[in-house]
Amino acid sequence: MTDKEPVIRVENLCKKFGPFTALNGVNLAIQAGEVHALLGDNGAGKSTLIKILSGVLQPTDGTIFVDGVPTNFRSPRDASAAGIGTVYQDLALSQLSSVTRNFFLGREITIGSGPFGVMKIKEMDRITHDEMQKIGIDISDPTQSVGTMSGGQRQTLAIARAIYFGARVLILDEPTSALGQKQQMEVLKTIRRVRGLGNIAIILITHNEIHSQLVADRYTFLSLGEVIGTGAKDELESRDIRRLMAGGADIADLAEELAKV
Amino acid sequence: MSEASGVATSAAQRTESDRLVKHGRIRALLHRPEIGAFAGMAFILIFLAIVAGNVVYNPLGIKNNHGIISQLGIISIGACLLMIAGEFDLSIGSMIGFSGMCMALMLKWGLPFGLGEATPMAAFFITLALTLTIGWLIGTIVVRSGLSSFIVTLGFLFVLRGSTEVGFRTFNQGSTQISGLPDFKQTDWFAYLFGGDAFKWVFDLLFSFGWNVNRSGDQWVPGLDAKVGWWIIIALAAYFVLSRTKLGNWIYATGDNKEAARANGVPVNQVKIGLFMFTAFCATIFAASQVFDTNTADAAKGNLKELEAIAAAVVGGAILTGGFGTVVGVIFGAVIFGLVQNSVFYISWIDGSYYRVFLGSVLLVAAFTNENIRKRITGGI
């Protein structure tokens, strides 16, 4: 562990749904400028953990520290005010509206306040273009509708929007899962560029071991609601990663199991 | 700085954004969603000029056409904005009948609770307060219950129409119509705003050029109906709000992806409730221009108008699932339907009922076209 204070640290996080224990004492530290891959099988507790971090759920026990200060997120609004931006799989975009209108949806730059404030469309177009270019996509026409963009470009739009509006921690929920090979690479490049900005921490939830090895600096493995392994990239062998992702089972074990069928 | 060969770089430098071909201005204009409605309107205008130009485009014909078009235009703008936000209002027609009744009853029998004579202004604003409240109620029921607005407003279609008939019978000595109200537009400036003339100067100018002349040599038509002015004002305001303001962005987002809009902090419910109030406002303006123009009201006024308004919005490019549509398109849609509705009466060899055949056919063609446009946009890559 580095001695820098993590942007987000969780200690002994527990979440119970009635008799079911979703998370059982999870510890995690997220550093700025790092990609932290959160790996684990279905049902390991990944989504519960990110829902707590983004303020959707409240923990049963344990503490979240933001910049070392213990913090309570009562709602998603609290979390985004603390600089945590979550990019969900459905991305929260309007397909028929333009890129700019999506980028600024709900936070339009206007002359005059209130709903009848007049949008400064030129300025909004320019910012949208510049912010997306910063993380690698040059959209020639910010007035094109989001429906005409590729899945990878849409991810970039959602990420650029979160960063522009103050996210210091980006939670990416399986950003590559629904995409084709080439677009997956686009998204990984985007993640790289965001990491290159240096001041933003990324929590990457993924099922894909190869993708996590390509971009992650640090790994945390969850299984049945507990952390079963954590470490920096250079401390872990890809064989370990594969074993831990499967919840501790070796790939050789899996092959053996398959052979029995 | 690498100096790769030309072929290799051109392939390597091709990016995703290059796949969306940029076209010139004319091409962009042809791809606008309103182009179909515009072509339809142009066709109708030319067709009428050929078969009945002398009656459709004489001063009286122009006045009458504009009257019908602007009436439909006013309510179809309300219907269009609501449709963009993903909801329907089937109660517009009944709301017209209801607000016409309220105004006429007050003008004839005085203010409620024996508060004395009603001025046109008082009658209008009391009615408006009532209809806006009903619009608010409809919107609140829709967003709170999560029921389809189709059902909720269908309920209000019946409730309001029935209330209108009951109201007439109760307060108007059993009769469901009022006629022969004093001609307020001659004496009261407020009534003149709704029932008087607009664009008189244009018709004065035409007269001075020797065109707008009747058989006895005097000026024939004084001007257009005042409702044409209202249509233009409402259309300009709606255009501005939709394309330029924050609220416009919220309306599109609400209809397109409600959850996304909500996640980004858009007050989705308030937007919808506000638009239900706006359609009630449009229906009230429609009724006021009718009452103060003809000095009559009856319980059947506005019947089926909600469907014509929705049809005009669809022809103008709005899609039923929301998120798409423009004010310019709905203006073209209103012109198409208003013009045809009025003109079939001029052309003796066309049975007037062909208007409905026409309306239905155009509606279907427009709906297919809109669906293709939507697929082209969302199908994307």
Side-chain angles (χ1 to χ4, degrees), chain A residues 17-40:
Chain A
F17 297 102
F20 178 74
T21 305
L23 291 178
N24 190 18
V26 168
N27 296 310
L28 194 65
I30 314 288
Q31 301 283 355
E34 274 192 5
V35 177
H36 195 129
L38 197 57
L39 302 161

PDB file of all heavy atoms in Angstrom, chain A residues 17-40:
ATOM      1  N   PHE A  17     -29.389  -8.074   3.718  1.00  0.00           N
ATOM      2  CA  PHE A  17     -30.779  -7.944   3.286  1.00  0.00           C
ATOM      3  C   PHE A  17     -31.567  -8.989   4.060  1.00  0.00           C
ATOM      4  O   PHE A  17     -31.589 -10.158   3.672  1.00  0.00           O
ATOM      5  CB  PHE A  17     -30.925  -8.195   1.791  1.00  0.00           C
ATOM      6  CG  PHE A  17     -30.180  -7.199   0.932  1.00  0.00           C
ATOM      7  CD1 PHE A  17     -28.963  -7.533   0.357  1.00  0.00           C
ATOM      8  CD2 PHE A  17     -30.702  -5.930   0.707  1.00  0.00           C
ATOM      9  CE1 PHE A  17     -28.285  -6.625  -0.434  1.00  0.00           C
ATOM     10  CE2 PHE A  17     -30.023  -5.022  -0.087  1.00  0.00           C
ATOM     11  CZ  PHE A  17     -28.813  -5.373  -0.654  1.00  0.00           C
ATOM     12  N   GLY A  18     -32.188  -8.590   5.155  1.00  0.00           N
ATOM     13  CA  GLY A  18     -32.861  -9.580   5.996  1.00  0.00           C
ATOM     14  C   GLY A  18     -31.845 -10.613   6.463  1.00  0.00           C
ATOM     15  O   GLY A  18     -30.777 -10.250   6.977  1.00  0.00           O
ATOM     16  N   PRO A  19     -32.134 -11.878   6.241  1.00  0.00           N
ATOM     17  CA  PRO A  19     -31.218 -12.922   6.700  1.00  0.00           C
ATOM     18  C   PRO A  19     -30.001 -13.105   5.783  1.00  0.00           C
ATOM     19  O   PRO A  19     -29.056 -13.793   6.124  1.00  0.00           O
ATOM     20  CB  PRO A  19     -32.087 -14.189   6.674  1.00  0.00           C
ATOM     21  CG  PRO A  19     -33.121 -13.908   5.641  1.00  0.00           C
ATOM     22  CD  PRO A  19     -33.365 -12.438   5.645  1.00  0.00           C
ATOM     23  N   PHE A  20     -30.041 -12.467   4.604  1.00  0.00           N
ATOM     24  CA  PHE A  20     -28.992 -12.690   3.609  1.00  0.00           C
ATOM     25  C   PHE A  20     -27.864 -11.674   3.778  1.00  0.00           C
ATOM     26  O   PHE A  20     -28.093 -10.470   3.821  1.00  0.00           O
ATOM     27  CB  PHE A  20     -29.594 -12.591   2.208  1.00  0.00           C
ATOM     28  CG  PHE A  20     -28.589 -12.769   1.117  1.00  0.00           C
ATOM     29  CD1 PHE A  20     -28.078 -14.025   0.824  1.00  0.00           C
ATOM     30  CD2 PHE A  20     -28.143 -11.679   0.390  1.00  0.00           C
ATOM     31  CE1 PHE A  20     -27.132 -14.191  -0.172  1.00  0.00           C
ATOM     32  CE2 PHE A  20     -27.206 -11.843  -0.614  1.00  0.00           C
ATOM     33  CZ  PHE A  20     -26.711 -13.106  -0.892  1.00  0.00           C
ATOM     34  N   THR A  21     -26.639 -12.183   3.888  1.00  0.00           N
ATOM     35  CA  THR A  21     -25.486 -11.290   4.011  1.00  0.00           C
ATOM     36  C   THR A  21     -24.868 -11.086   2.641  1.00  0.00           C
ATOM     37  O   THR A  21     -24.275 -12.011   2.084  1.00  0.00           O
ATOM     38  CB  THR A  21     -24.442 -11.892   4.963  1.00  0.00           C
ATOM     39  OG1 THR A  21     -25.101 -12.160   6.204  1.00  0.00           O
ATOM     40  CG2 THR A  21     -23.295 -10.937   5.197  1.00  0.00           C
ATOM     41  N   ALA A  22     -25.025  -9.870   2.100  1.00  0.00           N
ATOM     42  CA  ALA A  22     -24.483  -9.592   0.771  1.00  0.00           C
ATOM     43  C   ALA A  22     -23.012  -9.226   0.865  1.00  0.00           C
ATOM     44  O   ALA A  22     -22.208  -9.641   0.034  1.00  0.00           O
ATOM     45  CB  ALA A  22     -25.267  -8.470   0.112  1.00  0.00           C
ATOM     46  N   LEU A  23     -22.661  -8.416   1.853  1.00  0.00           N
ATOM     47  CA  LEU A  23     -21.257  -8.040   2.067  1.00  0.00           C
ATOM     48  C   LEU A  23     -20.911  -8.324   3.523  1.00  0.00           C
ATOM     49  O   LEU A  23     -21.674  -7.988   4.423  1.00  0.00           O
ATOM     50  CB  LEU A  23     -21.052  -6.551   1.774  1.00  0.00           C
ATOM     51  CG  LEU A  23     -21.167  -6.079   0.339  1.00  0.00           C
ATOM     52  CD1 LEU A  23     -20.973  -4.573   0.285  1.00  0.00           C
ATOM     53  CD2 LEU A  23     -20.164  -6.776  -0.557  1.00  0.00           C
ATOM     54  N   ASN A  24     -19.740  -8.910   3.730  1.00  0.00           N
ATOM     55  CA  ASN A  24     -19.380  -9.299   5.087  1.00  0.00           C
ATOM     56  C   ASN A  24     -17.989  -8.757   5.424  1.00  0.00           C
ATOM     57  O   ASN A  24     -16.994  -9.458   5.299  1.00  0.00           O
ATOM     58  CB  ASN A  24     -19.437 -10.822   5.197  1.00  0.00           C
ATOM     59  CG  ASN A  24     -19.318 -11.286   6.635  1.00  0.00           C
ATOM     60  OD1 ASN A  24     -19.533 -10.504   7.557  1.00  0.00           O
ATOM     61  ND2 ASN A  24     -18.939 -12.547   6.813  1.00  0.00           N
ATOM     62  N   GLY A  25     -17.947  -7.482   5.819  1.00  0.00           N
ATOM     63  CA  GLY A  25     -16.676  -6.912   6.272  1.00  0.00           C
ATOM     64  C   GLY A  25     -15.668  -6.663   5.159  1.00  0.00           C
ATOM     65  O   GLY A  25     -14.559  -7.186   5.176  1.00  0.00           O
ATOM     66  N   VAL A  26     -16.060  -5.830   4.193  1.00  0.00           N
ATOM     67  CA  VAL A  26     -15.175  -5.559   3.054  1.00  0.00           C
ATOM     68  C   VAL A  26     -14.290  -4.350   3.338  1.00  0.00           C
ATOM     69  O   VAL A  26     -14.754  -3.338   3.855  1.00  0.00           O
ATOM     70  CB  VAL A  26     -16.018  -5.316   1.788  1.00  0.00           C
ATOM     71  CG1 VAL A  26     -15.168  -4.757   0.666  1.00  0.00           C
ATOM     72  CG2 VAL A  26     -16.702  -6.601   1.346  1.00  0.00           C
ATOM     73  N   ASN A  27     -13.001  -4.487   3.034  1.00  0.00           N
ATOM     74  CA  ASN A  27     -12.071  -3.360   3.109  1.00  0.00           C
ATOM     75  C   ASN A  27     -11.548  -3.059   1.715  1.00  0.00           C
ATOM     76  O   ASN A  27     -11.283  -3.983   0.947  1.00  0.00           O
ATOM     77  CB  ASN A  27     -10.893  -3.691   4.026  1.00  0.00           C
ATOM     78  CG  ASN A  27     -11.346  -3.912   5.441  1.00  0.00           C
ATOM     79  OD1 ASN A  27     -12.081  -3.106   6.002  1.00  0.00           O
ATOM     80  ND2 ASN A  27     -10.940  -5.042   6.007  1.00  0.00           N
ATOM     81  N   LEU A  28     -11.401  -1.759   1.439  1.00  0.00           N
ATOM     82  CA  LEU A  28     -11.023  -1.377   0.084  1.00  0.00           C
ATOM     83  C   LEU A  28     -10.412   0.013   0.149  1.00  0.00           C
ATOM     84  O   LEU A  28     -10.867   0.856   0.928  1.00  0.00           O
ATOM     85  CB  LEU A  28     -12.293  -1.346  -0.772  1.00  0.00           C
ATOM     86  CG  LEU A  28     -12.206  -1.284  -2.287  1.00  0.00           C
ATOM     87  CD1 LEU A  28     -11.567  -2.561  -2.823  1.00  0.00           C
ATOM     88  CD2 LEU A  28     -13.607  -1.137  -2.880  1.00  0.00           C
ATOM     89  N   ALA A  29      -9.352   0.239  -0.644  1.00  0.00           N
ATOM     90  CA  ALA A  29      -8.777   1.586  -0.709  1.00  0.00           C
ATOM     91  C   ALA A  29      -8.566   1.956  -2.168  1.00  0.00           C
ATOM     92  O   ALA A  29      -7.965   1.193  -2.928  1.00  0.00           O
ATOM     93  CB  ALA A  29      -7.461   1.635   0.053  1.00  0.00           C
ATOM     94  N   ILE A  30      -9.091   3.101  -2.565  1.00  0.00           N
ATOM     95  CA  ILE A  30      -9.014   3.542  -3.959  1.00  0.00           C
ATOM     96  C   ILE A  30      -8.135   4.781  -4.037  1.00  0.00           C
ATOM     97  O   ILE A  30      -8.418   5.784  -3.373  1.00  0.00           O
ATOM     98  CB  ILE A  30     -10.418   3.890  -4.507  1.00  0.00           C
ATOM     99  CG1 ILE A  30     -11.445   2.820  -4.159  1.00  0.00           C
ATOM    100  CG2 ILE A  30     -10.366   4.154  -6.003  1.00  0.00           C
ATOM    101  CD1 ILE A  30     -11.310   1.541  -4.912  1.00  0.00           C
ATOM    102  N   GLN A  31      -7.073   4.711  -4.858  1.00  0.00           N
ATOM    103  CA  GLN A  31      -6.149   5.842  -4.990  1.00  0.00           C
ATOM    104  C   GLN A  31      -6.439   6.650  -6.255  1.00  0.00           C
ATOM    105  O   GLN A  31      -6.830   6.086  -7.258  1.00  0.00           O
ATOM    106  CB  GLN A  31      -4.707   5.312  -5.098  1.00  0.00           C
ATOM    107  CG  GLN A  31      -4.236   4.484  -3.928  1.00  0.00           C
ATOM    108  CD  GLN A  31      -3.873   5.339  -2.720  1.00  0.00           C
ATOM    109  OE1 GLN A  31      -3.896   6.578  -2.791  1.00  0.00           O
ATOM    110  NE2 GLN A  31      -3.565   4.684  -1.607  1.00  0.00           N
ATOM    111  N   ALA A  32      -6.194   7.957  -6.170  1.00  0.00           N
ATOM    112  CA  ALA A  32      -6.333   8.798  -7.357  1.00  0.00           C
ATOM    113  C   ALA A  32      -5.321   8.365  -8.413  1.00  0.00           C
ATOM    114  O   ALA A  32      -4.211   7.964  -8.079  1.00  0.00           O
ATOM    115  CB  ALA A  32      -6.132  10.261  -6.991  1.00  0.00           C
ATOM    116  N   GLY A  33      -5.707   8.459  -9.658  1.00  0.00           N
ATOM    117  CA  GLY A  33      -4.798   8.129 -10.750  1.00  0.00           C
ATOM    118  C   GLY A  33      -4.586   6.643 -10.951  1.00  0.00           C
ATOM    119  O   GLY A  33      -3.680   6.238 -11.670  1.00  0.00           O
ATOM    120  N   GLU A  34      -5.396   5.842 -10.285  1.00  0.00           N
ATOM    121  CA  GLU A  34      -5.264   4.393 -10.432  1.00  0.00           C
ATOM    122  C   GLU A  34      -6.548   3.782 -10.986  1.00  0.00           C
ATOM    123  O   GLU A  34      -7.638   4.277 -10.723  1.00  0.00           O
ATOM    124  CB  GLU A  34      -5.004   3.745  -9.074  1.00  0.00           C
ATOM    125  CG  GLU A  34      -3.551   3.727  -8.680  1.00  0.00           C
ATOM    126  CD  GLU A  34      -3.311   2.820  -7.472  1.00  0.00           C
ATOM    127  OE1 GLU A  34      -4.240   2.141  -7.006  1.00  0.00           O
ATOM    128  OE2 GLU A  34      -2.174   2.810  -7.020  1.00  0.00           O
ATOM    129  N   VAL A  35      -6.377   2.691 -11.723  1.00  0.00           N
ATOM    130  CA  VAL A  35      -7.547   1.913 -12.121  1.00  0.00           C
ATOM    131  C   VAL A  35      -7.622   0.708 -11.190  1.00  0.00           C
ATOM    132  O   VAL A  35      -6.695  -0.091 -11.125  1.00  0.00           O
ATOM    133  CB  VAL A  35      -7.440   1.439 -13.583  1.00  0.00           C
ATOM    134  CG1 VAL A  35      -8.649   0.576 -13.945  1.00  0.00           C
ATOM    135  CG2 VAL A  35      -7.336   2.629 -14.517  1.00  0.00           C
ATOM    136  N   HIS A  36      -8.687   0.647 -10.452  1.00  0.00           N
ATOM    137  CA  HIS A  36      -8.834  -0.427  -9.475  1.00  0.00           C
ATOM    138  C   HIS A  36      -9.903  -1.393  -9.977  1.00  0.00           C
ATOM    139  O   HIS A  36     -11.074  -1.052 -10.017  1.00  0.00           O
ATOM    140  CB  HIS A  36      -9.245   0.177  -8.123  1.00  0.00           C
ATOM    141  CG  HIS A  36      -9.076  -0.773  -6.982  1.00  0.00           C
ATOM    142  ND1 HIS A  36      -8.390  -0.432  -5.831  1.00  0.00           N
ATOM    143  CD2 HIS A  36      -9.490  -2.044  -6.805  1.00  0.00           C
ATOM    144  CE1 HIS A  36      -8.396  -1.463  -5.011  1.00  0.00           C
ATOM    145  NE2 HIS A  36      -9.063  -2.452  -5.576  1.00  0.00           N
ATOM    146  N   ALA A  37      -9.476  -2.574 -10.373  1.00  0.00           N
ATOM    147  CA  ALA A  37     -10.440  -3.538 -10.914  1.00  0.00           C
ATOM    148  C   ALA A  37     -11.113  -4.286  -9.770  1.00  0.00           C
ATOM    149  O   ALA A  37     -10.446  -4.758  -8.849  1.00  0.00           O
ATOM    150  CB  ALA A  37      -9.729  -4.518 -11.831  1.00  0.00           C
ATOM    151  N   LEU A  38     -12.418  -4.338  -9.842  1.00  0.00           N
ATOM    152  CA  LEU A  38     -13.201  -5.061  -8.850  1.00  0.00           C
ATOM    153  C   LEU A  38     -13.732  -6.310  -9.548  1.00  0.00           C
ATOM    154  O   LEU A  38     -14.551  -6.205 -10.449  1.00  0.00           O
ATOM    155  CB  LEU A  38     -14.333  -4.166  -8.372  1.00  0.00           C
ATOM    156  CG  LEU A  38     -15.050  -4.506  -7.074  1.00  0.00           C
ATOM    157  CD1 LEU A  38     -14.071  -4.584  -5.925  1.00  0.00           C
ATOM    158  CD2 LEU A  38     -16.107  -3.455  -6.792  1.00  0.00           C
ATOM    159  N   LEU A  39     -13.227  -7.442  -9.149  1.00  0.00           N
ATOM    160  CA  LEU A  39     -13.538  -8.664  -9.878  1.00  0.00           C
ATOM    161  C   LEU A  39     -14.260  -9.657  -8.979  1.00  0.00           C
ATOM    162  O   LEU A  39     -14.115  -9.646  -7.768  1.00  0.00           O
ATOM    163  CB  LEU A  39     -12.256  -9.306 -10.400  1.00  0.00           C
ATOM    164  CG  LEU A  39     -11.409  -8.430 -11.320  1.00  0.00           C
ATOM    165  CD1 LEU A  39      -9.989  -8.951 -11.394  1.00  0.00           C
ATOM    166  CD2 LEU A  39     -12.014  -8.366 -12.698  1.00  0.00           C
ATOM    167  N   GLY A  40     -15.020 -10.502  -9.608  1.00  0.00           N
ATOM    168  CA  GLY A  40     -15.711 -11.530  -8.835  1.00  0.00           C
ATOM    169  C   GLY A  40     -16.828 -12.129  -9.660  1.00  0.00           C
ATOM    170  O   GLY A  40     -17.301 -11.523 -10.620  1.00  0.00           O
TER     171      GLY A  40
END
